[in-house]
Amino acid sequence: MKNDLELICNLVRECGKFIKGIDRGHLHIDSKEGRANFVTEYDKQVQERLRTGLLEIMPDAHFVGEEGSTQKFSPVGKFFIVDPIDGTTNFIKDFHISSISVALVVDGEAELGVIYNPYTDEMFTARRGEGAFCNDKRLHVSSEPLENGIVVFGTAPYHEELKEKTFKLAYAYFKKAMDVRRCGSAALDLCSVAAGRAELFFELILSPWDYAAGGLIVREAGGLVSDMDGNELALDRPCSVLARNRVAQVLTCEG
Ligand code: IPD
Ligand code: CA
Ligand code: CA
Protein backbone atom coordinates (compact mmCIF):
# COMPACT_ATOMS: atom_id res chain seq x y z
CA MET A 1 0.00 0.00 0.00
CA LYS A 2 1.24 3.50 -0.82
CA ASN A 3 1.95 5.72 2.16
CA ASP A 4 0.23 9.06 2.82
CA LEU A 5 3.16 11.13 1.53
CA GLU A 6 3.27 9.24 -1.78
CA LEU A 7 -0.48 9.60 -2.22
CA ILE A 8 -0.29 13.34 -1.52
CA CYS A 9 2.60 13.72 -4.00
CA ASN A 10 0.62 11.90 -6.70
CA LEU A 11 -2.36 14.18 -6.17
CA VAL A 12 -0.20 17.30 -6.16
CA ARG A 13 1.64 16.18 -9.32
CA GLU A 14 -1.70 15.64 -11.05
CA CYS A 15 -2.78 19.19 -10.06
CA GLY A 16 0.55 20.51 -11.36
CA LYS A 17 -0.11 18.88 -14.74
CA PHE A 18 -3.52 20.52 -14.75
CA ILE A 19 -1.95 23.95 -14.07
CA LYS A 20 0.53 23.52 -16.91
CA GLY A 21 -2.19 22.39 -19.31
CA ILE A 22 -4.57 25.31 -18.71
CA ASP A 23 -5.86 27.15 -21.75
CA ARG A 24 -4.31 30.54 -21.01
CA GLY A 25 -6.43 32.29 -23.62
CA HIS A 26 -9.36 32.39 -21.21
CA LEU A 27 -7.96 33.40 -17.83
CA HIS A 28 -10.67 35.04 -15.75
CA ILE A 29 -8.90 37.26 -13.19
CA ASP A 30 -10.55 38.69 -10.05
CA SER A 31 -9.10 41.06 -7.46
CA LYS A 32 -8.78 40.20 -3.78
CA GLU A 33 -8.14 42.37 -0.72
CA GLY A 34 -4.98 44.55 -0.82
CA ARG A 35 -2.84 45.94 -3.62
CA ALA A 36 -2.33 43.89 -6.85
CA ASN A 37 -3.75 40.76 -5.22
CA PHE A 38 -5.38 38.62 -7.87
CA VAL A 39 -7.07 35.25 -8.08
CA THR A 40 -8.13 33.21 -11.10
CA GLU A 41 -10.81 30.57 -11.38
CA TYR A 42 -7.91 28.07 -11.60
CA ASP A 43 -6.66 28.87 -8.09
CA LYS A 44 -10.15 27.91 -6.93
CA GLN A 45 -10.42 24.82 -9.14
CA VAL A 46 -7.02 23.50 -8.04
CA GLN A 47 -7.93 24.11 -4.41
CA GLU A 48 -11.15 22.14 -4.83
CA ARG A 49 -9.29 19.22 -6.44
CA LEU A 50 -6.79 19.25 -3.59
CA ARG A 51 -9.50 19.50 -0.94
CA THR A 52 -11.42 16.53 -2.31
CA GLY A 53 -8.28 14.44 -2.93
CA LEU A 54 -6.60 15.17 0.40
CA LEU A 55 -9.72 14.42 2.40
CA GLU A 56 -10.07 11.11 0.53
CA ILE A 57 -6.50 10.25 1.54
CA MET A 58 -7.10 11.31 5.16
CA PRO A 59 -10.82 11.49 5.95
CA ASP A 60 -10.29 12.51 9.58
CA ALA A 61 -8.35 15.67 8.62
CA HIS A 62 -9.62 19.24 8.27
CA PHE A 63 -8.78 21.53 5.39
CA VAL A 64 -7.68 25.18 5.31
CA GLY A 65 -6.93 26.71 1.91
CA GLU A 66 -6.02 30.18 0.72
CA GLU A 67 -9.06 30.44 -1.50
CA GLY A 68 -11.57 30.11 1.33
CA SER A 69 -12.37 27.34 3.75
CA THR A 70 -15.29 26.57 5.92
CA GLN A 71 -12.89 25.20 8.54
CA LYS A 72 -10.71 27.29 10.82
CA PHE A 73 -7.28 26.16 11.98
CA SER A 74 -7.08 24.87 15.52
CA PRO A 75 -4.00 23.58 17.39
CA VAL A 76 -5.81 20.32 18.05
CA GLY A 77 -6.46 17.76 15.31
CA LYS A 78 -5.18 17.13 11.78
CA PHE A 79 -5.19 20.03 9.32
CA PHE A 80 -4.15 20.32 5.73
CA ILE A 81 -2.94 23.88 5.06
CA VAL A 82 -2.89 24.48 1.33
CA ASP A 83 -1.90 27.08 -1.23
CA PRO A 84 -3.24 25.80 -4.56
CA ILE A 85 -1.10 28.19 -6.62
CA ASP A 86 1.69 29.99 -4.80
CA GLY A 87 2.84 32.59 -7.29
CA THR A 88 -0.48 33.59 -8.83
CA THR A 89 0.95 36.76 -10.38
CA ASN A 90 3.63 34.65 -12.09
CA PHE A 91 0.91 32.23 -13.20
CA ILE A 92 -1.16 35.09 -14.67
CA LYS A 93 1.93 36.40 -16.50
CA ASP A 94 2.99 32.90 -17.64
CA PHE A 95 6.29 33.46 -15.82
CA HIS A 96 6.79 29.74 -15.05
CA ILE A 97 7.66 30.10 -11.35
CA SER A 98 4.69 28.94 -9.30
CA SER A 99 4.06 26.03 -7.00
CA ILE A 100 1.49 24.01 -5.10
CA SER A 101 2.06 23.91 -1.36
CA VAL A 102 0.49 21.35 1.00
CA ALA A 103 1.27 20.93 4.70
CA LEU A 104 -0.22 18.44 7.11
CA VAL A 105 -0.26 19.85 10.63
CA VAL A 106 -1.08 17.52 13.52
CA ASP A 107 -1.85 19.02 16.94
CA GLY A 108 -0.13 22.25 15.96
CA GLU A 109 3.07 20.68 14.52
CA ALA A 110 3.85 20.42 10.81
CA GLU A 111 4.24 16.68 10.09
CA LEU A 112 4.36 16.61 6.28
CA GLY A 113 5.31 19.24 3.72
CA VAL A 114 4.94 18.96 -0.05
CA ILE A 115 5.79 21.73 -2.53
CA TYR A 116 5.68 21.04 -6.25
CA ASN A 117 7.00 23.20 -9.07
CA PRO A 118 5.24 21.88 -12.18
CA TYR A 119 7.51 23.84 -14.52
CA THR A 120 10.70 22.12 -13.34
CA ASP A 121 8.97 18.91 -12.17
CA GLU A 122 10.63 19.31 -8.77
CA MET A 123 8.76 17.75 -5.85
CA PHE A 124 10.06 18.99 -2.50
CA THR A 125 8.97 16.89 0.47
CA ALA A 126 9.61 16.48 4.17
CA ARG A 127 8.27 14.36 6.96
CA ARG A 128 9.07 15.59 10.47
CA GLY A 129 12.21 13.89 11.77
CA GLU A 130 13.02 12.18 8.46
CA GLY A 131 14.78 14.85 6.42
CA ALA A 132 13.84 16.83 3.34
CA PHE A 133 14.05 15.75 -0.29
CA CYS A 134 13.78 17.10 -3.81
CA ASN A 135 12.47 14.24 -5.91
CA ASP A 136 14.66 11.49 -4.38
CA LYS A 137 17.63 13.62 -3.45
CA ARG A 138 18.24 14.49 0.19
CA LEU A 139 18.38 18.25 0.81
CA HIS A 140 20.81 20.15 3.01
CA VAL A 141 21.02 23.88 3.59
CA SER A 142 24.33 25.39 2.54
CA SER A 143 27.10 26.28 4.92
CA GLU A 144 28.08 29.47 3.13
CA PRO A 145 28.15 32.77 5.01
CA LEU A 146 26.06 35.70 3.81
CA GLU A 147 29.05 37.18 1.98
CA ASN A 148 29.11 34.13 -0.35
CA GLY A 149 25.37 33.83 -0.44
CA ILE A 150 22.21 34.62 -2.34
CA VAL A 151 19.31 36.17 -0.44
CA VAL A 152 15.80 35.50 -1.70
CA PHE A 153 13.03 37.74 -0.48
CA GLY A 154 9.36 38.47 -0.97
CA THR A 155 8.02 41.98 -1.42
CA ALA A 156 4.83 41.53 0.68
CA PRO A 157 3.15 42.86 -2.48
CA TYR A 158 -0.37 43.18 -1.07
CA HIS A 159 0.79 45.47 1.77
CA GLU A 160 1.51 49.03 0.67
CA GLU A 161 2.78 49.97 4.15
CA LEU A 162 5.62 47.39 4.04
CA LYS A 163 7.14 48.42 0.69
CA GLU A 164 9.76 50.80 2.02
CA LYS A 165 10.93 48.60 4.88
CA THR A 166 11.11 45.59 2.56
CA PHE A 167 13.38 47.32 0.10
CA LYS A 168 15.55 48.90 2.84
CA LEU A 169 16.15 45.43 4.21
CA ALA A 170 16.72 43.96 0.75
CA TYR A 171 19.26 46.74 0.10
CA ALA A 172 21.08 45.92 3.35
CA TYR A 173 21.32 42.25 2.26
CA PHE A 174 22.26 43.24 -1.29
CA LYS A 175 25.23 45.21 0.04
CA LYS A 176 26.56 42.27 2.11
CA ALA A 177 25.58 39.20 0.08
CA MET A 178 26.63 38.14 -3.43
CA ASP A 179 23.19 39.12 -4.78
CA VAL A 180 19.45 39.09 -4.09
CA ARG A 181 16.54 37.43 -5.95
CA ARG A 182 12.73 37.86 -5.95
CA CYS A 183 11.11 34.83 -7.56
CA GLY A 184 7.40 35.33 -6.78
CA SER A 185 6.62 32.14 -4.87
CA ALA A 186 7.44 32.16 -1.16
CA ALA A 187 7.05 28.37 -1.01
CA LEU A 188 9.75 27.97 -3.68
CA ASP A 189 11.93 30.58 -1.95
CA LEU A 190 11.87 28.38 1.15
CA CYS A 191 12.75 25.34 -0.99
CA SER A 192 15.71 27.28 -2.41
CA VAL A 193 17.06 27.78 1.11
CA ALA A 194 16.45 24.11 1.93
CA ALA A 195 18.29 23.03 -1.23
CA GLY A 196 21.28 25.28 -0.51
CA ARG A 197 20.60 27.34 -3.62
CA ALA A 198 20.07 30.42 -1.46
CA GLU A 199 21.39 31.19 2.02
CA LEU A 200 18.56 33.28 3.49
CA PHE A 201 14.92 34.19 2.81
CA PHE A 202 12.79 36.93 4.34
CA GLU A 203 9.36 38.41 3.82
CA LEU A 204 7.69 40.88 6.17
CA ILE A 205 4.28 39.24 6.04
CA LEU A 206 3.02 35.91 4.73
CA SER A 207 0.14 33.60 5.52
CA PRO A 208 0.35 30.06 6.91
CA TRP A 209 -0.40 28.47 3.50
CA ASP A 210 2.71 30.23 2.13
CA TYR A 211 5.10 28.80 4.73
CA ALA A 212 3.59 25.83 6.60
CA ALA A 213 5.08 23.25 4.19
CA GLY A 214 8.22 25.23 3.32
CA GLY A 215 9.07 25.90 6.97
CA LEU A 216 9.16 22.17 7.67
CA ILE A 217 11.20 21.50 4.52
CA VAL A 218 13.82 24.08 5.57
CA ARG A 219 14.01 22.68 9.10
CA GLU A 220 14.33 19.12 7.88
CA ALA A 221 17.15 20.27 5.58
CA GLY A 222 18.99 21.54 8.65
CA GLY A 223 18.00 25.21 8.43
CA LEU A 224 16.53 27.70 10.87
CA VAL A 225 13.03 29.15 10.52
CA SER A 226 11.21 31.74 12.61
CA ASP A 227 9.39 35.01 12.28
CA MET A 228 11.60 38.11 12.08
CA ASP A 229 11.51 38.48 15.89
CA GLY A 230 12.74 34.94 16.43
CA ASN A 231 9.34 33.44 17.37
CA GLU A 232 7.88 30.18 16.04
CA LEU A 233 5.86 30.69 12.85
CA ALA A 234 2.17 31.13 13.60
CA LEU A 235 -0.18 28.67 11.90
CA ASP A 236 -3.43 30.44 12.76
CA ARG A 237 -2.57 33.92 11.42
CA PRO A 238 -0.15 35.75 9.12
CA CYS A 239 3.38 36.57 10.29
CA SER A 240 6.80 37.58 8.97
CA VAL A 241 9.19 34.81 7.92
CA LEU A 242 12.96 34.43 8.18
CA ALA A 243 14.60 31.21 6.96
CA ARG A 244 18.33 30.61 6.67
CA ASN A 245 21.21 28.25 6.89
CA ARG A 246 23.06 28.05 10.21
CA VAL A 247 25.74 30.61 9.45
CA ALA A 248 24.19 33.41 7.36
CA GLN A 249 24.17 36.68 9.30
CA VAL A 250 20.77 38.24 9.96
CA LEU A 251 20.62 41.96 9.14
CA THR A 252 18.31 44.83 10.02
CA CYS A 253 17.33 47.72 7.74
CA GLU A 254 20.39 49.56 9.05
CA GLY A 255 22.68 46.70 8.01
C1 IPD B 1 2.42 35.17 -2.83
C2 IPD B 1 3.77 34.66 -3.24
C3 IPD B 1 4.77 35.80 -3.26
C4 IPD B 1 4.82 36.53 -1.95
C5 IPD B 1 3.44 36.98 -1.52
C6 IPD B 1 2.50 35.78 -1.47
P1 IPD B 1 0.21 34.03 -3.86
O1 IPD B 1 1.47 34.12 -2.80
O2 IPD B 1 4.22 33.68 -2.35
O3 IPD B 1 6.08 35.35 -3.52
O4 IPD B 1 5.65 37.65 -2.07
O5 IPD B 1 3.53 37.59 -0.26
O6 IPD B 1 1.24 36.19 -1.03
O7 IPD B 1 -0.67 35.20 -3.55
O8 IPD B 1 0.78 34.07 -5.21
O9 IPD B 1 -0.39 32.74 -3.44
CA1 CA C 1 0.82 32.15 -1.55
CA1 CA D 1 -2.05 31.35 -3.77
Side-chain angles (χ1 to χ4, degrees), residues 83-95:
D83 194 337
I85 302 184
D86 185 51
T88 293
T89 304
N90 283 347
F91 170 67
I92 290 169
K93 301 294 289 178
D94 206 15
F95 208 88

Side-chain angles (χ1 to χ4, degrees), residues 32 38 43 66-67 82-88 99 158 209-210:
K32 295 202 290 189
F38 301 112
D43 298 71
E66 176 173 16
E67 305 313 336
V82 169
D83 194 337
I85 302 184
D86 185 51
T88 293
S99 61
Y158 317 135
W209 41 78
D210 300 311

Side-chain angles (χ1 to χ4, degrees), residues 121-143:
D121 194 25
E122 288 181 305
M123 181 73 73
F124 295 90
T125 58
R127 186 188 290 276
R128 191 161 66 96
E130 296 186 10
F133 296 82
C134 175
N135 298 337
D136 288 326
K137 191 172 158 265
R138 181 93 191 230
L139 297 179
H140 299 284
V141 293
S142 87
S143 48

